[in-house]
Amino acid sequence: MSEIAIGERRGPDSVLPSRTIALLLVIGVLGFAGFLLLGAYAPDLRSGRNAGAHALSNAATGYAGLVELARATGRHPRILRTEQGWGTEDLVVVTPESANTDMSKIMTVRVAKATLIVLPKWAIVADAQVKGWVNVVGLLPAADPAGVLAPATPMTVTRQPSGGRPLQPVAWAPRSLAVAAPRPLQTVTSAALTPLITDDAGRIVLGKIGTSSIYVLTDPDLLDNYGIRRLDRARAALDLLDFVNATGARGIAFDVTLNGLGRARSPLKLALEPPFLAMTLSIIVALALTGWQALIRFGAPQPRHRAIAFGKSALIDNSAMILRKAGREGVLGGRYAALVRERSRVIFGVPARLPDDEADQYLDRLQGATQFSTLVADADRARHRADMLAAAQALHQWQWEKTQ
């Protein structure tokens, strides 16, 4: 079937103006980009609002305030959502919420790396009125925080009124750690812990497990949102993090995988973060340039031609194409010579009774440097396209010279 040149429609027949189409296209692209971004980061935005005791919680027992405080003071905090992040050299703060938390794996990975484990203390329920808030219903049973590190690290948990008396840090600890004790104060007694901060009765508030780099903070009110509402407690919280950061790393990592907020990395999110972000941006730019080239015409529009032309020209072109495809161009010299001979009979009055060889001799007697019979012989011997073309051009030139 023939292809017909199709022109661009203009004028009142257009369904939508070009500006409307461009606006719809821009809105669609922006909407799709927003959908991809929300698909990649929406889980992170939604998580952590369950009023738990973890680094994403804004509740009184959460630690989101400590994360923001560390960020504001240049301590480079980050949230760990995968177990692969446990191998970092940064200080890792772990906040298990009950004795049911499996601590064995992270204890093995972090045995030689600075780690702070904060024991749970409060029994809470979610606030029915405000999302993300909690109501404290009392203290957890003492066996709950005592069982977080059991049986590897046995501890006996006690709670007693502190009267707000100052804590007792070791001599090489910052003096700010001698802050007023929380009320009530949760302490432990354990032979497996080396005391670093105690109450006035010698019970452990901050201890170190053996020769490892793992520290245990017994009372979370020294770090949680409720505890650091006071300036002295906030200063003590930051100094406590620096004190247990034995490796001197410049960052602090808050683990939430043990709080049930871990997540495998999304391929979509991976494409939107370094180091693959550069490749993603390059692809977007390439697609934008491709779209621009498709929408914007370069140069004057060229009408499309028919695949099959009209008339004798089409017949000649198609015949030539068939011969070219068949590879028979080189053997057409003799036929072209016969065509020139027949035309020359008419033009130069060669008697019709003469056979071809005698007609060639008759044409040889015409004035000129080249004999017609020689040109015919060259055309008959041609077997390649270049030879045939040269012989045909010579015959054409001979005929033109004789007719001038």
Side-chain angles (χ1 to χ4, degrees):
M1 181 180 293
S2 301
E3 294 184 6
I4 301 176
I6 302 176
E8 182 181 356
R9 297 184 65 187
R10 296 182 176 86
D13 293 337
S14 298
V15 178
L16 292 174
S18 57
R19 290 184 179 180
T20 303
I21 296 176
L23 181 60
L24 292 175
L25 181 62
V26 171
I27 293 175
V29 171
L30 292 178
F32 181 69
F35 174 78
L36 292 181
L37 289 175
L38 287 177
Y41 292 100
D44 292 345
L45 299 176
R46 290 195 304 263
S47 64
R49 308 305 180 190
N50 60 353
H54 51 76
L56 296 174
S57 174
N58 293 323
T61 55
Y63 300 92
L66 182 63
V67 175
E68 293 302 319
L69 186 60
R71 179 176 292 110
T73 53
R75 286 172 171 80
H76 311 290
R78 57 193 176 95
I79 304 299
L80 292 183
R81 291 182 176 270
T82 63
E83 295 182 2
Q84 288 75 16
W86 290 350
T88 179
E89 294 297 329
D90 293 340
L91 169 67
V92 174
V93 180
V94 184
T95 56
E97 298 183 66
S98 71
N100 296 326
T101 305
D102 184 7
M103 299 289 293
S104 58
K105 189 173 182 179
I106 192 170
M107 293 288 288
T108 302
V109 173
R110 300 294 303 176
V111 65
K113 303 177 188 295
T115 308
L116 177 62
I117 299 174
V118 184
L119 299 183
K121 176 180 179 180
W122 299 105
I124 58 175
V125 294
D127 192 304
Q129 302 297 325
V130 183
K131 184 178 180 180
W133 288 19
V134 295
N135 294 319
V136 177
V137 297
L139 296 169
L140 289 171
D144 205 329
V148 169
L149 299 177
T153 306
M155 297 179 295
T156 301
V157 174
T158 58
R159 284 81 173 257
Q160 61 280 332
S162 66
R165 292 183 294 275
L167 299 176
Q168 305 296 318
V170 292
W172 61 87
R175 289 298 90 194
S176 61
L177 298 183
V179 69
R183 303 183 185 189
L185 177 62
Q186 178 173 278
T187 60
V188 302
T189 302
S190 175
L193 295 179
T194 301
L196 298 174
I197 300 177
T198 63
D199 64 358
D200 52 2
R203 291 179 289 261
I204 299 174
V205 177
L206 176 68
K208 182 180 180 182
I209 301 177
T211 59
S212 70
S213 297
I214 299 177
Y215 300 83
V216 179
L217 181 66
T218 65
D219 197 309
D221 287 343
L222 292 171
L223 298 181
D224 60 23
N225 297 331
Y226 173 79
I228 64 172
R229 72 191 189 282
R230 292 168 40 183
L231 179 60
D232 59 340
R233 194 72 61 75
R235 184 181 295 111
L238 293 177
D239 290 343
L240 175 62
L241 295 178
D242 294 338
F243 177 62
V244 299
N245 194 359
T247 61
R250 300 182 60 185
I252 302 174
F254 292 85
D255 177 74
V256 296
T257 60
L258 297 180
N259 303 95
L261 299 174
R263 186 176 299 108
R265 299 199 69 178
S266 166
L268 180 58
K269 186 176 179 181
L270 191 65
L272 298 176
E273 294 181 348
F276 298 104
L277 178 60
M279 180 185 69
T280 303
L281 293 177
S282 299
I283 294 175
I284 292 174
V285 171
L287 291 176
L289 292 176
T290 303
W292 177 263
Q293 186 177 15
L295 292 173
I296 305 301
R297 185 186 300 276
F298 295 91
Q302 298 293 329
R304 298 178 63 185
H305 300 286
R306 295 181 57 87
I308 302 177
F310 292 111
K312 292 183 289 185
S313 297
L315 180 61
I316 295 173
D317 291 341
N318 291 337
S319 301
M321 180 182 65
I322 293 174
L323 291 173
R324 188 163 50 250
K325 292 288 185 180
R328 303 289 294 176
E329 296 171 288
V331 297
L332 295 178
R335 297 186 180 184
Y336 183 75
L339 176 63
V340 174
R341 181 188 296 116
E342 294 302 320
R343 293 186 62 188
S344 299
R345 283 177 181 269
V346 177
I347 295 173
F348 301 112
V350 178
R353 56 183 175 79
L354 295 180
D356 290 343
D357 53 347
E358 294 181 5
D360 293 345
Q361 294 175 6
Y362 182 92
L363 293 174
D364 286 342
R365 291 194 290 268
L366 299 176
Q367 295 181 355
T370 307
Q371 292 187 340
F372 181 77
S373 59
T374 303
L375 298 178
V376 171
D378 293 339
D380 288 335
R381 289 193 298 269
R383 292 295 179 268
H384 300 286
R385 178 182 178 182
D387 298 337
M388 187 275 295
L389 181 61
Q393 289 175 340
L395 285 169
H396 178 75
Q397 181 67 21
W398 177 89
Q399 185 177 359
W400 179 82
E401 290 175 353
K402 297 298 183 288
T403 55
Q404 296 304 312

